[in-house]
Amino acid sequence: EDKVVQSPLSLVVHEGDTVTLNCSYEVTNFRSLLWYKQEKKAPTFLFMLTSSGIEKKSGRLSSILDKKELFSILNITATQTGDSAVYLCAVLTGTASKLTFGTGTRLQVTL
Amino acid sequence: GAVVSQHPSRVICKSGTSVKIECRSLDFQATTMFWYRQFPKQSLMLMATSNEGSKATYEQGVEKDKFLINHASLTLSTLTVTSAHPEDSSFYICSAVPGQGFEETQYFGPGTRLLVL
């Protein structure tokens, strides 16, 4: 059975802090790893990682994949209150484009 | 970008009734759509893969007779929760994959919040 595990489950930080969210996986037929941000509604896409060691960046967010150790991290620098959300990691497997989601990390950024 | 809509956004129903949720890809065709369920403070759990023109593929533990899926066209999939009970109350989210379903990007709908009394 495919498994995706995120840590920590929840995190409270002060505005301006840097956070690192972790995602490890054990799946068959790995294709890609994706990060999403979920506020009150459906997830919004952040990154898709397919190759090891190549960092993807978008503003204050960045992510990298290690296919040998089967994990990924999502970094957020200079956090803002608007970053408060649940961050979901998902792994895409097989030919049917099936996504297996992790447990999520609930991030709260306080003033 | 690609847009997926869901209707209704929120529904409250009595126990024993059936509820239909629609998922539409507004500006692209999707051979494959997915239905997820999310309970409070939990992650998204894939319920089934909906394929246009063929039967849906259900994940282990999901009752196909209770959660009826119909993917009648390349832009519409419907999920019907039959004889809903309070334990079916959840956030139901669909996603759609453009083209023939081999792309890696899934576009999510805004979700439908179901409350069964």
Side-chain angles (χ1 to χ4, degrees):
Chain A
E1 187 185 329
D2 293 340
K3 201 187 294 188
V4 179
V5 178
Q6 291 184 246
S7 64
L9 287 181
S10 66
L11 194 53
V12 180
V13 300
H14 292 298
E15 209 174 35
D17 287 350
T18 292
V19 297
T20 299
L21 309 183
N22 304 292
C23 175
S24 63
Y25 61 92
E26 280 180 49
V27 302
T28 51
N29 297 319
F30 174 90
R31 285 173 59 188
S32 308
L33 185 143
L34 296 92
W35 284 96
Y36 292 88
K37 178 182 181 182
Q38 186 177 27
E39 294 172 271
K40 296 223 157 104
K41 290 200 169 180
T44 52
F45 172 79
L46 294 175
F47 296 111
M48 182 171 72
L49 304 156
T50 306
S51 302
S52 255
I54 299 173
E55 187 183 52
K56 293 220 170 174
K57 273 182 83 74
S58 176
R60 296 176 294 102
L61 277 66
S62 63
S63 184
I64 197 160
L65 173 67
D66 185 329
K67 286 168 77 172
K68 186 179 172 192
E69 300 297 329
L70 308 182
F71 80 90
S72 173
I73 59 170
L74 174 69
N75 276 322
I76 309 175
T77 58
T79 51
Q80 301 172 356
T81 54
D83 295 327
S84 297
V86 174
Y87 290 84
L88 295 166
C89 168
V91 175
L92 186 77
T93 59
T95 54
S97 298
K98 180 178 162 178
L99 273 179
T100 300
F101 281 85
T103 43
T105 293
R106 188 173 295 273
L107 174 67
Q108 186 180 351
V109 182
T110 61
L111 290 171
Chain B
V3 178
V4 176
S5 71
Q6 273 184 249
H7 178 80
S9 58
R10 186 184 292 266
V11 58
I12 301 173
C13 69
K14 289 184 181 176
S15 190
T17 58
S18 292
V19 174
K20 184 191 273 190
I21 303 170
E22 292 186 351
C23 176
R24 289 182 189 273
S25 55
L26 297 186
D27 50 3
F28 65 97
Q29 293 186 330
T31 305
T32 303
M33 292 184 174
F34 297 93
W35 286 97
Y36 297 87
R37 181 166 52 181
Q38 186 176 34
F39 292 108
K41 301 210 171 160
Q42 293 188 27
S43 194
L44 277 76
M45 297 295 294
L46 179 65
M47 297 175 69
T49 305
S50 170
N51 300 300
E52 187 267 338
S54 65
K55 288 184 181 178
T57 306
Y58 290 81
E59 294 299 301
Q60 199 169 8
V62 178
E63 297 173 58
K64 61 180 181 185
D65 295 330
K66 180 164 182 67
F67 298 100
L68 301 178
I69 290 172
N70 186 358
H71 194 149
S73 78
L74 286 171
T75 58
L76 173 65
S77 174
T78 59
L79 168 70
T80 301
V81 183
T82 61
S83 187
H85 288 102
E87 58 266 30
D88 298 322
S89 299
S90 189
F91 191 46
Y92 291 86
I93 306 174
C94 73
S95 71
V97 182
Q100 296 299 308
F102 302 120
E103 289 193 30
E104 309 210 318
T105 304
Q106 290 188 23
Y107 296 95
F108 285 88
T112 296
R113 205 163 288 283
L114 170 64
L115 177 62
V116 185
L117 301 175

